[in-house]
Amino acid sequence: MAIDPQHLLNYPIPQVRQTLTEKDTAFYALSVGLGMDPLDEKQLRFVDSARDFRALPSIVVVLGHPGFWVAREDTGIDAVRVVHGEQRIEWHKPLPVAGEVVGETRVTGVVDKGNNALMYSEKELRDGNGELLATAGMTTVLRGQGGFGGDSEPLHAVHTLPDSEPDISVDLPTRAEQALYYRLNGDDNPLHSNPATAEAAGYPRPILHGLCTLGVVFHALFRELVDYREDRLKALSLRFSSPVFPGETIRTEIWRDGSFRARVVERDVVVVNNGKLDFV
């Protein structure tokens, strides 16, 4: 059943005011795999508030998060069939480890791809004083809900990876229960926790959140390209190409210019593609 694009463009996604605690900040970093090496001092800065505590910059994707709003009946979206297609982040200011943050999310575009539709949304994340901290954009694939006769051109160009072999390869494991931890960041889509929901969506078992995969991949980039220095980050973009099952190993393949992709080692399947980290 086709969606109504004008309805989605005008849909009132609730503003989210969140009281961020140091515990929340540490939990996010732990939920995407930091701290697996408990002797790595650079990782410990993001999980231990007794140190020079910092927020892992990819936490932007869960702060001020409006929840699984697409599942509301009045959206007209078949929530069981939605897929997270792309993610973008732009950092504007250093992120707090605690305090009030405010997320304002809106739908910015809807594209008709025939059988499917692409829905673009953007979240502005601000601190309690109204200062813009970061902007996070995502593309959601609405499977089987195209055909409404709208514009078919994507709103964002896809980054083209270099023709050469990657310069760096980083393997990071995920845990079998990782999706059950990650959902406590506020993403409670049952696709990641309920076997029956996963089966209804065509998967043999619950899959890892795309944004958890992003966190694992971001860790590899953060370590290898900027040595855990958040002040060097500008922007990130990527496309999700296949799901990860919790417990699999994610291999991030990186070029020195910030281009990247990622694959699951056990199945040799590319799960993140067309990635680019902009940094100084």
Side-chain angles (χ1 to χ4, degrees), residues 39 82 221 254:
L39 300 180
V82 301
L221 299 166
I254 308 168

Side-chain angles (χ1 to χ4, degrees), residues 32-241:
V32 297
L34 273 81
M36 283 192 182
D37 181 355
L39 300 180
D40 185 338
E41 292 286 343
K42 292 181 178 179
Q43 289 187 46
L44 291 175
R45 290 170 50 208
F46 299 96
V47 300
D48 184 357
S49 59
R51 297 168 183 266
D52 178 23
F53 191 40
R54 306 291 181 88
L56 187 68
S58 56
I59 196 175
V60 165
V61 297
V62 302
L63 295 182
H65 181 59
F68 195 45
W69 65 271
V70 298
R72 297 179 178 183
E73 288 188 9
D74 64 345
T75 65
I77 295 172
D78 182 357
V80 174
R81 303 185 69 193
V82 301
V83 175
H84 193 162
E86 298 168 332
Q87 183 68 42
R88 296 166 294 280
I89 303 173
E90 186 176 358
W91 293 276
H92 306 296
K93 293 188 66 176
L95 300 175
V97 296
E100 185 179 56
V101 292
V102 181
E104 292 270 9
T105 303
R106 63 189 180 95
V107 175
T108 58
V110 183
V111 170
D112 189 349
K113 299 301 290 183
N115 184 48
N116 301 327
L118 302 179
M119 181 177 70
Y120 295 86
S121 58
E122 183 177 274
K123 176 183 70 181
E124 290 188 339
L125 182 70
R126 299 179 184 272
D127 64 17
N129 297 318
E131 293 290 324
L132 184 62
L133 299 171
T135 306
M138 68 181 291
T139 307
T140 304
V141 182
L142 309 181
R143 294 188 294 171
Q145 295 201 273
F148 50 84
D151 189 357
S152 63
E153 289 299 314
L155 300 188
H156 297 277
V158 175
H159 175 66
T160 301
L161 297 178
D163 292 331
S164 60
E165 289 297 309
D167 300 305
I168 306 165
S169 180
V170 179
D171 287 1
L172 293 174
T174 65
R175 302 184 301 274
E177 77 283 11
Q178 192 153 347
L180 300 176
Y181 284 117
Y182 187 85
R183 71 192 302 268
L184 300 180
N185 289 303
D187 190 340
D188 54 1
N189 183 345
L191 180 63
H192 308 293
S193 60
N194 189 322
T197 301
E199 184 179 2
Y203 301 108
R205 55 192 174 101
I207 62 175
L208 196 63
H209 302 71
L211 290 179
C212 187
T213 297
L214 178 148
V216 176
V217 171
F218 175 78
H219 181 197
L221 299 166
F222 195 37
R223 186 182 83 186
E224 297 297 329
L225 293 178
V226 299
D227 192 29
Y228 293 101
R229 285 183 53 189
E230 56 268 43
D231 61 310
R232 296 185 61 193
L233 298 173
K234 295 175 64 180
L236 174 80
S237 63
L238 58 78
R239 170 173 285 188
F240 298 107
S241 52

